[in-house]
Amino acid sequence: MSQGRAIAVSRSQAHTFKKHNQASIQLLAGLGVAGDAHQGKTVQHRSRVAADPTQPNLRQVHLIHSELHEALRAAGFAVSAGQMGENITTQGIDLLALPTAARLFLGNAAVIEITGLRNPCHQLDRFQPGLMAAVLGRDEQGNLIRKAGVMGIVIASGEVRPDDPISVELPPLPHYRLDRV
């Protein structure tokens, strides 16, 4: 199991782009982050609710690796934890390389199962012009690479605080690459 840690935890009760950093957040099994606008068994993102409000919520928790923030700051952007809409900012885990169904064990009890990649949207450019392009790339074959973090569902409830350890457990083989959710 690889090991990392939580750098920051964030939530917003309203459907806002930024989330506010907290001393702790409570993850609720099958629902997401207590008190967050995206908490729920069914989709909570407004565009997805408009398309089909009965879809399961595979985007209960948004995680971004702090290493992305560092790269963006080096490229001239002013970003910090919670400002790109994430609930948990991590360090030391290559979130984008995880397979679908990888599990993150956070703090003493919480468990998140990774469902896919965050699909960056135009709100990033409203926050800072050029930010959306900065979190997208292309591989050698021209395939789109999404770098704006991963999404997950809460498998086991628990409190998560900054500096809590995070352990990764990979699912049984075969592993499947993350796709946007």
Side-chain angles (χ1 to χ4, degrees), residues 122-136:
H122 64 279
Q123 291 184 58
L124 290 167
D125 280 341
R126 278 195 237 144
F127 175 56
Q128 290 182 45
L131 188 56
M132 185 164 160
V135 297
L136 293 171

Side-chain angles (χ1 to χ4, degrees), residues 44-60:
Q44 300 298 310
H45 288 77
R46 289 183 277 191
S47 63
R48 292 167 191 261
V49 169
D52 178 2
T54 66
Q55 296 176 72
N57 187 3
L58 301 178
R59 299 166 55 100
Q60 294 174 357

Side-chain angles (χ1 to χ4, degrees), residues 73-133:
R73 284 192 294 272
F77 294 96
V79 294
S80 59
Q83 290 188 319
M84 291 175 55
E86 73 272 20
N87 299 109
I88 301 172
T89 308
T90 67
Q91 183 179 60
I93 298 171
D94 187 354
L95 296 174
L96 303 179
L98 295 174
T100 299
R103 290 194 173 186
L104 303 180
F105 294 79
L106 302 98
N108 294 325
V111 180
I112 295 172
E113 184 172 289
I114 303 302
T115 56
L117 296 168
R118 175 192 185 186
N119 194 32
C121 70
H122 64 279
Q123 291 184 58
L124 290 167
D125 280 341
R126 278 195 237 144
F127 175 56
Q128 290 182 45
L131 188 56
M132 185 164 160

Side-chain angles (χ1 to χ4, degrees), residues 34 36 57 101 113 115 122 131 133-134 139 164 167-168 179 181:
D36 191 82
N57 187 3
E113 184 172 289
T115 56
H122 64 279
L131 188 56
D139 66 14
D164 275 353
S167 298
V168 177
D179 199 1
V181 291

Side-chain angles (χ1 to χ4, degrees), residues 122-177:
H122 64 279
Q123 291 184 58
L124 290 167
D125 280 341
R126 278 195 237 144
F127 175 56
Q128 290 182 45
L131 188 56
M132 185 164 160
V135 297
L136 293 171
R138 297 273 176 192
D139 66 14
E140 300 79 33
Q141 292 78 38
N143 298 312
L144 186 63
I145 299 172
R146 293 171 177 85
K147 306 176 202 174
V150 298
M151 307 303 284
I153 58 173
V154 181
I155 300 299
S157 299
E159 184 177 41
V160 182
R161 298 176 171 277
D163 293 322
D164 275 353
I166 303 173
S167 298
V168 177
E169 179 181 274
L170 298 178
L173 294 172
H175 291 165
Y176 298 97
R177 290 177 48 129

